[in-house]
Amino acid sequence: MNIHEFLSPPAESARREGPNSRIVMSSRVRLARNIRGYAFPGWAKKAERIRSMETVQPAVVSLPQMAAAFSDVMDNLTLLDKNILVERHLISRELCHAKAGAGIVISKDQSCVVMVNEEDHLRMQSLRPGFQLRQAWTAIDTVDSKLEKKLDYAFTPELGYLTACPTNLGTGIRVSAMLHLPGLVLSEQINQIIQAVNKLGLAVRGLYGEGTEALGNVFQVSNQMTLGESETDIVEKLTKVVAQIVEHEENGRASLLEKKPKVVFNHIGRAYGILANAHSISSKETMNLLSLLRLGGDLALFPDMPGALVDELFIITQPAHLQRQFSEKLNAEERDLLRADMLRDRLRNVSRPNPENLPTVDGQKAKE
């Protein structure tokens, strides 16, 4: 089975919902682990990376959580395959460019992924739709405990789990939530929220993590330190902070509707107009406009728009997914044309937004 036969169709992935999924698009907990006696992947020679993969990958595949999993070495995947996995947030950009000896194991439901020989020998992650950080932690902790019985982890009582990057030393845990925050962006509160989160020792990154921009008003909030705190303390800290950000986003949307409803409708109406009528559109512009369309859906401005349509479009309009659907050799201009055709087709039955459908505030019609 190849990776495309294995992956859920984009429409199915988009329909996965969880608590607070209007704002919290997904929750992820990742653990970094290394095997005693092997050099870190970045320092190891090819033969040693292959040996470590041959030790790690069978142990992962043997877990009950990985029954009927997809497992392969990265060398067997094309660059397009790898980029599709990045766009699905199943692997990191770093794994795309990993040297020989890198591999991947993805559970049947795609909620658990183990990257082999990325920066560490194991980067295992649990993914959940919506606000489910605690559930994601419980799931990956179970996988980790089972693997620790099969593999000799590099660990010391003083430093905890040894990792290639010092910032992962200790617990090796990275807890993150992907948040859709158009209310805070439109109300110009996002910078102060980011500053407040940074002061708590947490990081705010873009759509694809470190070093990427927040396309589509999507931000990733995660812990930065992994040493000196327990895994459960880190999970609970992130859970509390994300809950506060969700509340601020809800308040930001309510405030905009109360004070500037026409501004909100103007943003959403313009986004719909461009997406439904453009004949050439870039991936970046599409993501930013789809964010506003998603906000319009949350505000019931598009009563005839299927609930998961925007999230599906977030996936299938990205470059690798477009190339997979139409051809494996498309330049940027060709992708922009095909993306616009797809958007016009998928939005043809979605009626334009009606300002009369804007929600009321405290039982009263929102006023300019």
Side-chain angles (χ1 to χ4, degrees):
M1 178 183 294
N2 66 43
I3 188 63
H4 305 291
E5 294 170 334
F6 176 82
L7 289 176
S8 300
E12 181 181 325
S13 295
R15 286 194 295 269
R16 293 171 182 161
E17 292 187 355
N20 291 106
S21 55
R22 290 170 62 249
I23 296 172
V24 186
M25 300 178 76
S26 64
S27 300
R28 183 187 71 170
V29 178
R30 189 203 73 202
L31 297 176
R33 299 287 186 262
N34 287 282
I35 309 304
R36 192 186 307 275
Y38 289 95
F40 294 134
W43 292 90
K45 294 182 179 179
K46 179 179 178 179
E48 189 173 11
R49 290 195 304 271
I50 292 174
R51 284 200 305 272
S52 62
M53 183 183 66
E54 290 173 346
T55 299
V56 169
Q57 203 146 343
V60 175
V61 172
S62 70
L63 297 177
Q65 290 88 344
M66 291 300 185
F70 175 85
S71 176
D72 208 342
V73 297
M74 297 306 292
D75 285 347
N76 287 342
L77 302 180
T78 67
L79 181 58
L80 180 61
D81 296 337
K82 297 172 187 177
N83 283 327
I84 284 175
L85 291 173
V86 170
E87 292 177 356
R88 295 286 188 102
H89 299 280
L90 293 174
I91 69 169
S92 66
R93 291 182 181 273
E94 289 74 17
L95 192 65
C96 276
H97 307 291
K99 300 176 182 177
I104 185 78
V105 183
I106 306 174
S107 67
K108 184 178 180 180
D109 64 359
Q110 289 135 69
S111 68
C112 183
V113 180
V114 177
M115 294 180 283
V116 181
N117 282 343
E118 185 229 41
E119 186 178 66
D120 296 286
H121 295 135
L122 294 106
R123 285 283 180 94
M124 58 187 97
Q125 61 184 23
S126 174
L127 302 159
R128 291 290 186 277
F131 193 6
Q132 300 191 73
L133 290 175
R134 294 188 184 101
Q135 293 87 339
W137 158 241
T138 299
I140 203 63
D141 183 44
T142 300
V143 169
D144 182 44
S145 296
K146 290 183 180 297
L147 273 179
E148 197 159 17
K149 295 177 181 179
K150 298 173 179 285
L151 300 170
D152 185 14
Y153 284 164
F155 177 89
T156 70
E158 299 81 14
L159 297 175
Y161 294 102
L162 305 183
T163 55
C165 180
T167 59
N168 291 321
L169 193 65
T171 59
I173 192 172
R174 188 75 67 191
V175 183
S176 64
M178 188 179 297
L179 307 171
H180 184 227
L181 305 176
L184 291 174
V185 173
L186 292 176
S187 61
E188 300 181 348
Q189 299 178 63
I190 191 64
N191 287 336
Q192 65 190 67
I193 294 295
I194 290 175
Q195 290 171 8
V197 170
N198 288 338
K199 288 179 181 177
L200 294 173
L202 305 177
V204 181
R205 299 186 171 98
L207 180 64
Y208 293 108
E210 189 171 0
T212 63
E213 59 182 319
L215 294 173
N217 299 316
V218 175
F219 299 82
Q220 288 190 36
V221 178
S222 65
N223 64 301
Q224 294 195 85
M225 299 303 295
T226 62
L227 185 63
E229 290 184 276
S230 70
E231 292 95 332
T232 52
D233 286 344
I234 292 170
V235 171
E236 289 305 313
K237 182 177 182 178
L238 257 293
T239 298
K240 291 177 182 178
V241 170
V242 170
Q244 292 175 342
I245 296 174
V246 169
E247 183 177 352
H248 283 301
E249 172 65 17
E250 295 280 17
N251 291 339
R253 295 183 185 191
S255 178
L256 284 168
L257 288 175
E258 181 180 9
K259 298 174 182 178
K260 299 180 178 179
K262 289 188 178 179
V263 171
V264 175
F265 180 69
N266 183 58
H267 280 293
I268 296 170
R270 283 174 176 269
Y272 168 83
I274 295 172
L275 290 169
N277 294 283
H279 285 261
S280 177
I281 188 167
S282 69
S283 176
K284 180 177 180 178
E285 184 179 14
T286 298
M287 295 290 284
N288 290 331
L289 295 178
L290 283 175
S291 166
L292 295 168
L293 206 65
R294 194 177 198 268
L295 175 62
D298 291 344
L299 298 178
L301 289 174
F302 300 101
D304 56 358
M305 183 171 71
L309 175 60
V310 174
D311 285 350
E312 182 188 356
L313 291 174
F314 265 128
I315 299 171
I316 64 176
T317 58
Q318 293 181 72
H321 279 80
L322 268 178
Q323 290 196 176
R324 169 67 186 171
Q325 181 172 348
F326 293 103
S327 167
E328 296 207 0
K329 293 182 180 180
L330 293 173
N331 60 37
E333 183 179 355
E334 290 169 333
R335 287 198 302 269
D336 291 351
L337 294 171
L338 288 170
R339 184 180 294 110
D341 291 344
M342 175 189 292
L343 288 165
R344 291 199 316 276
D345 178 64
R346 296 302 299 274
L347 295 174
R348 69 184 186 280
N349 294 322
V350 176
S351 303
R352 66 183 184 180
N354 186 343
E356 296 301 317
N357 291 336
L358 274 174
T360 59
V361 178
D362 295 330
Q364 301 295 319
K365 187 69 178 177
K367 297 179 180 180
E368 179 66 44

Coordinates of all heavy atoms in Angstrom, one line a residue, residues 28-31 89-92 111-115 123-127 140:
R28 N -1.6 18.5 20.0 CA -0.5 17.6 19.7 C 0.4 17.5 20.9 O 0.7 18.5 21.5 CB 0.3 18.0 18.5 CG 1.4 17.1 18.1 CD 2.3 17.6 17.0 NE 3.1 18.7 17.5 CZ 4.1 19.2 16.8 NH1 4.4 18.8 15.5 NH2 4.8 20.2 17.3
V29 N 0.8 16.3 21.2 CA 1.9 16.1 22.2 C 3.0 15.2 21.5 O 2.7 14.2 21.0 CB 1.4 15.4 23.5 CG1 2.5 15.2 24.4 CG2 0.3 16.3 24.1
R30 N 4.2 15.7 21.6 CA 5.3 15.0 20.9 C 6.4 14.7 21.9 O 6.7 15.5 22.8 CB 5.9 16.0 19.8 CG 7.0 15.3 18.9 CD 7.9 16.3 18.3 NE 8.8 16.8 19.3 CZ 9.4 18.0 19.2 NH1 9.2 18.8 18.2 NH2 10.3 18.4 20.2
L31 N 7.0 13.6 21.8 CA 8.1 13.2 22.7 C 9.3 12.9 21.9 O 9.3 12.2 20.8 CB 7.7 11.9 23.5 CG 6.5 12.0 24.5 CD1 6.2 10.7 25.1 CD2 6.8 13.1 25.6
H89 N 0.3 17.9 8.4 CA 0.9 18.1 9.8 C 1.2 16.7 10.4 O 1.2 16.6 11.7 CB 0.0 18.9 10.7 CG -0.3 20.2 10.2 ND1 0.6 21.3 10.4 CD2 -1.3 20.8 9.5 CE1 0.1 22.4 9.8 NE2 -1.0 22.1 9.3
L90 N 1.6 15.7 9.6 CA 1.9 14.4 10.1 C 3.4 14.2 10.3 O 3.9 13.4 11.1 CB 1.4 13.3 9.2 CG -0.1 13.2 9.1 CD1 -0.5 12.2 8.0 CD2 -0.7 12.8 10.5
I91 N 4.2 15.0 9.5 CA 5.7 15.0 9.7 C 6.2 16.4 9.7 O 5.5 17.3 9.3 CB 6.4 14.1 8.6 CG1 6.3 14.8 7.3 CG2 5.9 12.7 8.6 CD1 7.2 14.1 6.2
S92 N 7.5 16.5 10.1 CA 8.1 17.8 10.1 C 8.8 18.1 8.8 O 9.1 17.2 8.0 CB 9.2 17.9 11.2 OG 10.2 17.0 11.0
S111 N -3.7 9.1 14.2 CA -3.6 9.9 15.4 C -2.3 9.8 16.1 O -2.0 10.5 17.0 CB -4.8 9.5 16.4 OG -4.5 8.2 16.8
C112 N -1.5 8.8 15.7 CA -0.2 8.6 16.3 C 0.9 8.4 15.2 O 0.7 7.7 14.2 CB -0.2 7.3 17.2 SG 1.4 7.0 18.0
V113 N 1.9 9.2 15.3 CA 3.0 9.2 14.2 C 4.3 9.1 14.9 O 4.6 9.8 15.9 CB 2.9 10.5 13.4 CG1 4.0 10.4 12.3 CG2 1.6 10.6 12.7
V114 N 5.2 8.2 14.4 CA 6.6 8.1 14.9 C 7.5 8.4 13.8 O 7.5 7.7 12.8 CB 6.8 6.8 15.6 CG1 8.3 6.7 16.0 CG2 5.9 6.5 16.7
M115 N 8.3 9.5 13.9 CA 9.3 9.8 13.0 C 10.7 9.2 13.5 O 11.0 9.4 14.6 CB 9.5 11.3 12.8 CG 8.3 12.0 12.2 SD 8.4 13.8 12.0 CE 8.2 14.3 13.7
R123 N 10.9 10.6 17.2 CA 10.0 11.8 17.5 C 8.6 11.2 17.4 O 8.1 11.0 16.2 CB 10.2 12.9 16.5 CG 11.5 13.7 16.7 CD 11.4 14.7 17.8 NE 12.6 15.4 18.1 CZ 12.8 16.7 17.6 NH1 11.9 17.2 16.8 NH2 13.9 17.3 17.9
M124 N 8.0 10.9 18.5 CA 6.6 10.3 18.5 C 5.6 11.3 18.9 O 5.9 12.1 19.8 CB 6.6 9.1 19.4 CG 6.9 9.3 20.8 SD 7.1 7.8 21.8 CE 8.8 7.6 21.8
Q125 N 4.5 11.3 18.2 CA 3.5 12.4 18.5 C 2.1 11.8 18.4 O 1.8 10.9 17.6 CB 3.6 13.6 17.5 CG 3.4 13.2 16.0 CD 3.7 14.4 15.1 OE1 4.4 15.3 15.5 NE2 3.1 14.4 14.0
S126 N 1.2 12.4 19.3 CA -0.2 12.0 19.3 C -0.9 13.3 18.8 O -0.7 14.4 19.3 CB -0.6 11.6 20.7 OG -2.0 11.4 20.8
L127 N -1.9 13.1 17.9 CA -2.6 14.2 17.4 C -4.1 14.0 17.7 O -4.6 12.9 17.5 CB -2.4 14.3 15.8 CG -1.0 14.5 15.4 CD1 -0.9 14.0 13.9 CD2 -0.6 15.9 15.5
I140 N 0.0 9.3 24.0 CA 1.5 9.1 23.6 C 2.3 8.6 24.8 O 3.3 7.9 24.6 CB 2.0 10.5 23.1 CG1 3.3 10.2 22.2 CG2 2.4 11.4 24.2 CD1 3.0 9.4 21.0

